[in-house]
Amino acid sequence: MIWSVRSETMARAELERVQAERLVELVRRVYDRVPFYRKKMDLAGVSPDDIRGLGDLAKLPFTTKGELRDVYPDGLLATERRKIVEVHTSSGTTGKPVVDAYTASDIDVWSEVMARALSMGGVTSSETIQNAYGYGLFTGGLGVHYGARRIGANVIPISGGNTQRQLMILRDFGPEALTCTPSYCLYLAEAAREQGIDFATLPLRVGFFGAEPWSDMMRTEIEEKLHILALDIYGLTEIVGPGVAQECPEKNGLHVAEDHFLPEIVDPETAVPLPAGQKGELVFTTLTKEGTPLIRYRTRDVTYLDPSPCRCGRTSTRMHRLLGRTDDMLIIRGVNVFPSQIEEVLLRAEGVEPHYQLVVDRSAHLDTLEVQVEMNERIFSDQVRNLEGFERAISAELFAALGVHAAVKLVEPKSIPRSEGKAKRIVDRRTI
Ligand SMILES: [Zn+2]
């Protein structure tokens, strides 16, 4: 089901013409109204007159998260303060938060791209969404809420956490759609099983999972346990929140709402733009944003783009599901390792659950990686279990996939801390 046939199936040439027009207007607007950008562009020796089309994009300077913190709280505002109708911020756990200020038009765009996203999972005005993303300064909750309202669906704003109540609502209200982080979804599945709730008997049919990287193996796990279609949703506070990109049922990448958010991939080390298909850091320019527009914002998310046509009929570029983050990327003895690669291996292995933690340490100047993963109840209770044999087998699989040695430690069921939001997968004990 396509929410906006006009926008989502536009011929590429026409889409690029729309993008170019919007880019030219955006650059002129931020140069005139945001001293931060005027200074950056002056320093880079580029004026708004130099930007005439998409081919000129690479002339523009990048924007980094650090810079956004430096201009906290309102240094990016590109409109009069009275036109701002809503403000969100990032969690700011490692410093000042990043602020995203929305005009009424920005909220309208957000509602539109979220309506497109939910429609990709077939949500209609006669369905109910259990929205277990957090409401508040975090964009997850309200983003889904606005999209649901735009479609006319019934949205249950339960927000994150409170697992018992989540299960009660799932059972008693019978929502067709669920939105939360993938790790919390698996936690819900586990809690439901303990209470004898059988998902096969519930109307739930689709889930939109995001806010953290997850793998195709984890998708299979979720789909089997909940008897649903599990789709990946992508967004970030700095750009708009959720709805920047969404997977369709073809499951071959996430459709970027390219008429509003212009994507690029650059080499994370050199910042040189890379062609379609090559892995690198995802960069966005907000083509239509009024409140706090961003030019070439480096997301630190690692993926690649695929502009080939999708079988669903949409013409927008697709981004592959996140491969990781440049700041989450572990460098183990010089080898780049993403937690998602480890997850793929673990979820393929026999006898383990999708709950794991990666402990990185340094011993005699050498990095060590220990993968702690929960064994399932069957292995745990097996009298003749050969844990060492299991551990060695998984370790060999990891070596084959990553090219680095990782010690595997099977731990008891439920011993890895559960999260009601983003899972904390990495414990890095190295002091450098
Ligand atoms: Zn598609």
Side-chain angles (χ1 to χ4, degrees), residues 120 246-255 309-316 318:
M120 283 189 219
Q246 169 69 44
E247 202 173 39
C248 73
E250 298 293 335
K251 297 178 184 171
N252 57 4
L254 290 76
H255 288 278
C310 182
R311 281 187 298 270
C312 73
R314 291 177 184 84
T315 49
S316 49
R318 282 161 289 131

mmCIF file of all heavy atoms in Angstrom, residues 120 246-255 309-316 318, ligand 1:
data_model
loop_
_atom_site.group_PDB
_atom_site.id
_atom_site.type_symbol
_atom_site.label_atom_id
_atom_site.label_comp_id
_atom_site.label_asym_id
_atom_site.label_seq_id
_atom_site.Cartn_x
_atom_site.Cartn_y
_atom_site.Cartn_z
ATOM 1 N N MET A 120 3.694 1.392 4.518
ATOM 2 C CA MET A 120 4.531 0.337 3.926
ATOM 3 C C MET A 120 4.298 -0.994 4.634
ATOM 4 O O MET A 120 4.504 -2.054 4.062
ATOM 5 C CB MET A 120 6.016 0.717 3.989
ATOM 6 C CG MET A 120 6.386 1.726 2.920
ATOM 7 S SD MET A 120 8.162 2.006 2.769
ATOM 8 C CE MET A 120 8.162 3.780 2.489
ATOM 9 N N GLN A 246 12.159 3.793 5.611
ATOM 10 C CA GLN A 246 11.330 2.673 6.063
ATOM 11 C C GLN A 246 11.405 1.525 5.076
ATOM 12 O O GLN A 246 11.363 1.737 3.864
ATOM 13 C CB GLN A 246 9.872 3.150 6.217
ATOM 14 C CG GLN A 246 8.856 2.041 6.422
ATOM 15 C CD GLN A 246 9.009 1.358 7.777
ATOM 16 O OE1 GLN A 246 9.185 2.024 8.801
ATOM 17 N NE2 GLN A 246 8.966 0.034 7.795
ATOM 18 N N GLU A 247 11.470 0.331 5.630
ATOM 19 C CA GLU A 247 11.504 -0.872 4.811
ATOM 20 C C GLU A 247 10.091 -1.215 4.330
ATOM 21 O O GLU A 247 9.138 -1.076 5.094
ATOM 22 C CB GLU A 247 12.014 -2.000 5.701
ATOM 23 C CG GLU A 247 12.600 -3.172 5.005
ATOM 24 C CD GLU A 247 13.215 -4.116 6.034
ATOM 25 O OE1 GLU A 247 12.629 -4.303 7.129
ATOM 26 O OE2 GLU A 247 14.270 -4.656 5.742
ATOM 27 N N CYS A 248 9.986 -1.690 3.077
ATOM 28 C CA CYS A 248 8.706 -2.182 2.570
ATOM 29 C C CYS A 248 8.715 -3.707 2.714
ATOM 30 O O CYS A 248 9.737 -4.280 3.070
ATOM 31 C CB CYS A 248 8.516 -1.750 1.116
ATOM 32 S SG CYS A 248 9.569 -2.651 -0.041
ATOM 33 N N PRO A 249 7.597 -4.383 2.449
ATOM 34 C CA PRO A 249 7.573 -5.848 2.633
ATOM 35 C C PRO A 249 8.543 -6.618 1.731
ATOM 36 O O PRO A 249 8.747 -7.807 1.940
ATOM 37 C CB PRO A 249 6.115 -6.211 2.333
ATOM 38 C CG PRO A 249 5.348 -4.968 2.622
ATOM 39 C CD PRO A 249 6.249 -3.848 2.187
ATOM 40 N N GLU A 250 9.146 -5.967 0.723
ATOM 41 C CA GLU A 250 10.149 -6.657 -0.088
ATOM 42 C C GLU A 250 11.413 -6.934 0.716
ATOM 43 O O GLU A 250 12.250 -7.755 0.327
ATOM 44 C CB GLU A 250 10.506 -5.822 -1.328
ATOM 45 C CG GLU A 250 9.348 -5.576 -2.288
ATOM 46 C CD GLU A 250 8.877 -6.851 -2.978
ATOM 47 O OE1 GLU A 250 9.680 -7.801 -3.105
ATOM 48 O OE2 GLU A 250 7.701 -6.898 -3.376
ATOM 49 N N LYS A 251 11.607 -6.201 1.805
ATOM 50 C CA LYS A 251 12.747 -6.399 2.707
ATOM 51 C C LYS A 251 14.091 -6.340 1.981
ATOM 52 O O LYS A 251 14.957 -7.188 2.204
ATOM 53 C CB LYS A 251 12.631 -7.743 3.434
ATOM 54 C CG LYS A 251 11.398 -7.849 4.336
ATOM 55 C CD LYS A 251 11.341 -9.223 4.966
ATOM 56 C CE LYS A 251 10.083 -9.409 5.783
ATOM 57 N NZ LYS A 251 9.905 -10.785 6.215
ATOM 58 N N ASN A 252 14.225 -5.390 1.089
ATOM 59 C CA ASN A 252 15.521 -5.267 0.406
ATOM 60 C C ASN A 252 16.082 -3.852 0.574
ATOM 61 O O ASN A 252 16.554 -3.243 -0.366
ATOM 62 C CB ASN A 252 15.392 -5.658 -1.077
ATOM 63 C CG ASN A 252 14.341 -4.824 -1.787
ATOM 64 O OD1 ASN A 252 13.767 -3.916 -1.191
ATOM 65 N ND2 ASN A 252 14.091 -5.099 -3.050
ATOM 66 N N GLY A 253 16.004 -3.352 1.766
ATOM 67 C CA GLY A 253 16.508 -2.014 2.046
ATOM 68 C C GLY A 253 15.380 -1.078 2.449
ATOM 69 O O GLY A 253 14.203 -1.384 2.239
ATOM 70 N N LEU A 254 15.747 0.064 3.041
ATOM 71 C CA LEU A 254 14.745 1.012 3.537
ATOM 72 C C LEU A 254 14.596 2.176 2.558
ATOM 73 O O LEU A 254 15.588 2.807 2.190
ATOM 74 C CB LEU A 254 15.159 1.575 4.902
ATOM 75 C CG LEU A 254 15.112 0.611 6.093
ATOM 76 C CD1 LEU A 254 16.291 -0.348 6.073
ATOM 77 C CD2 LEU A 254 15.114 1.391 7.398
ATOM 78 N N HIS A 255 13.360 2.446 2.147
ATOM 79 C CA HIS A 255 13.094 3.561 1.238
ATOM 80 C C HIS A 255 13.330 4.885 1.960
ATOM 81 O O HIS A 255 12.700 5.165 2.978
ATOM 82 C CB HIS A 255 11.645 3.516 0.752
ATOM 83 C CG HIS A 255 11.382 2.411 -0.215
ATOM 84 N ND1 HIS A 255 11.679 2.527 -1.555
ATOM 85 C CD2 HIS A 255 10.868 1.164 -0.054
ATOM 86 C CE1 HIS A 255 11.350 1.403 -2.179
ATOM 87 N NE2 HIS A 255 10.860 0.546 -1.286
ATOM 88 N N PRO A 309 15.322 0.165 -9.017
ATOM 89 C CA PRO A 309 13.875 0.147 -8.722
ATOM 90 C C PRO A 309 13.507 -1.006 -7.783
ATOM 91 O O PRO A 309 14.119 -2.062 -7.823
ATOM 92 C CB PRO A 309 13.234 -0.070 -10.094
ATOM 93 C CG PRO A 309 14.293 0.172 -11.107
ATOM 94 C CD PRO A 309 15.609 -0.058 -10.431
ATOM 95 N N CYS A 310 12.538 -0.766 -6.917
ATOM 96 C CA CYS A 310 12.073 -1.792 -5.973
ATOM 97 C C CYS A 310 10.815 -2.432 -6.550
ATOM 98 O O CYS A 310 10.022 -1.766 -7.215
ATOM 99 C CB CYS A 310 11.781 -1.146 -4.623
ATOM 100 S SG CYS A 310 11.244 -2.335 -3.370
ATOM 101 N N ARG A 311 10.646 -3.704 -6.262
ATOM 102 C CA ARG A 311 9.474 -4.421 -6.784
ATOM 103 C C ARG A 311 8.155 -3.838 -6.279
ATOM 104 O O ARG A 311 7.109 -4.068 -6.853
ATOM 105 C CB ARG A 311 9.565 -5.902 -6.418
ATOM 106 C CG ARG A 311 10.509 -6.695 -7.305
ATOM 107 C CD ARG A 311 10.437 -8.192 -7.003
ATOM 108 N NE ARG A 311 10.837 -8.484 -5.627
ATOM 109 C CZ ARG A 311 12.085 -8.740 -5.265
ATOM 110 N NH1 ARG A 311 13.046 -8.763 -6.164
ATOM 111 N NH2 ARG A 311 12.383 -8.988 -4.001
ATOM 112 N N CYS A 312 8.212 -3.077 -5.171
ATOM 113 C CA CYS A 312 6.978 -2.528 -4.604
ATOM 114 C C CYS A 312 6.449 -1.358 -5.431
ATOM 115 O O CYS A 312 5.327 -0.908 -5.215
ATOM 116 C CB CYS A 312 7.200 -2.077 -3.164
ATOM 117 S SG CYS A 312 8.163 -0.567 -3.024
ATOM 118 N N GLY A 313 7.280 -0.841 -6.358
ATOM 119 C CA GLY A 313 6.829 0.263 -7.210
ATOM 120 C C GLY A 313 7.351 1.619 -6.783
ATOM 121 O O GLY A 313 7.239 2.597 -7.528
ATOM 122 N N ARG A 314 7.911 1.707 -5.580
ATOM 123 C CA ARG A 314 8.470 2.993 -5.135
ATOM 124 C C ARG A 314 9.802 3.232 -5.855
ATOM 125 O O ARG A 314 10.537 2.287 -6.132
ATOM 126 C CB ARG A 314 8.667 3.002 -3.610
ATOM 127 C CG ARG A 314 7.349 3.000 -2.853
ATOM 128 C CD ARG A 314 7.570 2.928 -1.344
ATOM 129 N NE ARG A 314 6.293 2.832 -0.643
ATOM 130 C CZ ARG A 314 5.633 1.696 -0.439
ATOM 131 N NH1 ARG A 314 6.143 0.558 -0.860
ATOM 132 N NH2 ARG A 314 4.474 1.701 0.182
ATOM 133 N N THR A 315 10.078 4.515 -6.118
ATOM 134 C CA THR A 315 11.276 4.845 -6.905
ATOM 135 C C THR A 315 12.412 5.389 -6.052
ATOM 136 O O THR A 315 13.497 5.645 -6.563
ATOM 137 C CB THR A 315 10.910 5.893 -7.971
ATOM 138 O OG1 THR A 315 10.191 6.947 -7.331
ATOM 139 C CG2 THR A 315 10.074 5.283 -9.072
ATOM 140 N N SER A 316 12.177 5.596 -4.756
ATOM 141 C CA SER A 316 13.206 6.210 -3.911
ATOM 142 C C SER A 316 14.386 5.273 -3.680
ATOM 143 O O SER A 316 14.247 4.051 -3.698
ATOM 144 C CB SER A 316 12.599 6.613 -2.572
ATOM 145 O OG SER A 316 11.858 5.546 -2.027
ATOM 146 N N ARG A 318 17.053 3.153 -1.778
ATOM 147 C CA ARG A 318 16.941 2.401 -0.525
ATOM 148 C C ARG A 318 18.295 2.371 0.172
ATOM 149 O O ARG A 318 19.339 2.274 -0.483
ATOM 150 C CB ARG A 318 16.482 0.976 -0.812
ATOM 151 C CG ARG A 318 14.992 0.876 -1.079
ATOM 152 C CD ARG A 318 14.638 -0.392 -1.802
ATOM 153 N NE ARG A 318 15.098 -0.344 -3.176
ATOM 154 C CZ ARG A 318 15.783 -1.314 -3.767
ATOM 155 N NH1 ARG A 318 16.071 -2.415 -3.127
ATOM 156 N NH2 ARG A 318 16.159 -1.171 -5.025
HETATM 157 ZN ZN ZN B 1 10.002 -1.280 -1.843
#
